[in-house]
Amino acid sequence: MAVSSGEGKTAGQEDPVRRESARQRAGEQGLLFDEQPAALPGDIGYRGPTACSAAGITYRQLDYWARTGLVEPTIRAAQGSGSQRLYSFRDILVLKVVKRLLDTGVSLQQIRTAVQHLRDRGVADLAQITLMSDGVSVYECTSADEVIDLLQGGQGVFGIALGRVWREVEGSLAELPGERAAVEDTVPADHPADELARRRRARRTG
């Protein structure tokens, strides 16, 4: 399952009343791309318990998702017994999105595909996306028209505006401890943990 664009999902359905109703629903849910999140420092890391609190997940979920390569910390990976993972703001944003998708009934395997798609995008792009799900598929909407098309044509479609999630995570982290990452803490592109994660993904998709 790939993250699909919402565009064209309900082609030909141009009922003005339904479209206006969908537009109002989208506005009420904060899905009309009016968010302008501020850029955050990229060298601030957050430990596991803080990431759990901000994302609304359990430590068991956090640990399992890290060990299986779903959402791994990009500031500092666990390196042996007693070491502490450090998650970036972007990592926590994705953790919260995963939790929201699970809550809609999307399977973990489908979420893995969606997360890989998000991971390939920059933070600025993430803030401009609305993800919508009917509990089976995940759709990516990058314009208000695509959101409205899905809302007027879908049954029980659930929307996740990433700009809004961004603000929620930002607000949560403002009350929680973070730490500035040292240069040696940052996980480089050729870090062994990254290679291991790539091999895991290759086995799963191969």
Side-chain angles (χ1 to χ4, degrees):
M1 189 281 300
V3 177
S4 306
S5 169
E7 187 174 7
K9 288 294 173 184
T10 56
Q13 296 184 14
E14 292 298 331
D15 185 324
V17 175
R18 291 182 66 192
R19 192 166 184 81
E20 180 57 30
S21 173
R23 181 175 292 278
Q24 290 176 3
R25 287 171 59 199
E28 290 168 0
Q29 295 178 51
L31 303 180
L32 290 182
F33 305 91
D34 56 353
E35 306 287 346
Q36 295 294 329
L40 296 176
D43 60 345
I44 300 297
Y46 303 91
R47 297 194 177 197
T50 298
C52 289
S53 180
I57 61 175
T58 67
Y59 192 85
R60 183 176 180 180
Q61 287 175 309
L62 182 80
D63 183 60
Y64 178 70
W65 296 349
R67 287 188 291 105
T68 58
L70 178 59
V71 185
E72 297 174 282
T74 57
I75 299 292
R76 185 173 67 209
Q79 300 171 346
S81 178
S83 64
Q84 292 282 338
R85 299 186 184 105
L86 278 185
Y87 288 82
S88 69
F89 177 88
R90 181 173 180 269
D91 298 334
I92 297 173
L93 183 71
V94 176
L95 286 169
K96 196 171 183 74
V97 169
V98 170
K99 176 62 162 57
R100 292 279 179 89
L101 290 173
L102 282 173
D103 289 345
T104 71
V106 181
S107 74
L108 197 60
Q109 185 57 46
Q110 290 174 315
I111 291 173
R112 287 184 187 279
T113 303
V115 166
Q116 184 56 49
H117 177 82
L118 294 178
R119 190 176 284 138
D120 292 338
R121 304 178 69 102
V123 179
D125 286 336
L126 279 177
Q128 300 302 319
I129 296 171
T130 286
L131 294 179
M132 305 195 78
S133 174
D134 55 9
V136 177
S137 298
V138 179
Y139 306 104
E140 173 194 351
C141 300
T142 55
S143 75
D145 284 342
E146 290 176 8
V147 171
I148 293 165
D149 283 345
L150 278 173
L151 281 174
Q152 73 170 353
Q155 297 296 321
V157 177
F158 180 87
I160 305 173
L162 295 199
R164 173 166 288 191
V165 177
W166 180 306
R167 291 202 310 172
E168 291 175 2
V169 172
E170 187 177 33
S172 297
L173 291 177
E175 307 297 326
L176 295 168
E179 55 189 84
R180 193 167 297 277
V183 175
E184 60 269 19
D185 282 341
T186 305
V187 179
D190 58 351
H191 190 277
D194 286 352
E195 177 61 27
L196 179 59
R198 281 194 292 270
R199 291 178 182 176
R200 286 172 178 162
R201 285 195 293 269
R203 284 200 298 271
R204 286 197 296 268
T205 58

